[in-house]
Amino acid sequence: MSASLKFRDDGTFKILQFTDMHLGDGKEEERERDEKTADLVSGIIAAEKPDLVVLTGDMIWSDGVADPKASFRRAIAPVVGSGVPWAAVFGNHDAEAGVTREELLAIQQEDEKCLSEAGPHDINGIGNFMLKVGNANGTKDEAALYFFDSGINAPEPIGGYAWIHPDQIQWYTGQSRQLTAQNGGPVRSLAFFHIPIPEYDAAWRGEQVTGTREENVECPKVNTGLFGAMVQSGDVVGTFVGHDHDNDYCGTLHGIRLCYGRVTGYNCYGKLPRGARVIRLEEGKREFETWIVQEDQVTG
């Protein structure tokens, strides 16, 4: 399925990251905000013309919501309507109550342009998968995109948010080794998940820091070593998360750029103007360009 992704003839590949859309229950008091979110998503996709849209979780609220499936259909409708290939990872609120990740994934997969996969059944989470992006002439893997389910909550004695488990990290390193062997060296890769890993805190004090930090990094209290595995594998050049609505910064740590998206939804907390993150890859270049596009830059 992911074979359909490839760089453009001009040697570029553009990804648009939306995060924390937080569509609600369809109640009258929320409807206007949710419609504004949908209009923003449609407007940014039309303006940016991406090759891939990625949703990094919390597409909806589910706790206390009468029909989370209906909310989810509304949340993804602007993306589905765009006809652009897309993929998503789950956040901590999508399947918190009243609906399962499996049910939400089935809704995604009704759209033929959706590239999300359940991933291996014998590891933690729903939605651990990898997509390959071919070069413009289709002769090799030019990039790889890893997607992780970062869970909901940690076990009660520990508290706070869940973490990406060791079996998920093993899955990633296995995929990475295989891809490296097939291509005669590491394939430049990006990773997408919802809850930031602990290294996001250090990235704020790292190199090439751009953007805003207006709240603490709400990462898990346990560090399971995903970042270390990425450093050792030598393929991942950037990670992209959501979760903390008042952070949108990128910082480089040990050669990996750790980035937040920009909060997209109007039906949730956050002082930052709503928007999305654009990621632009070029053939043959390890580095990538990234910037924020926000509501006041979209006409229509």
Side-chain angles (χ1 to χ4, degrees), residues 55 78 105 137 142 168 183 199 208 221 258 279 281 294:
L55 310 177
L105 179 64
N137 58 21
E142 183 65 34
Q168 294 169 276
N183 289 274
E199 285 81 5
Q208 302 165 272
K221 294 176 183 176
L258 302 175
I279 305 149
L281 302 173
Q294 60 187 38

Side-chain angles (χ1 to χ4, degrees), residues 249-261:
Y249 66 84
C250 283
T252 303
L253 190 66
H254 308 318
I256 299 176
R257 201 135 175 76
L258 302 175
C259 300
Y260 279 100

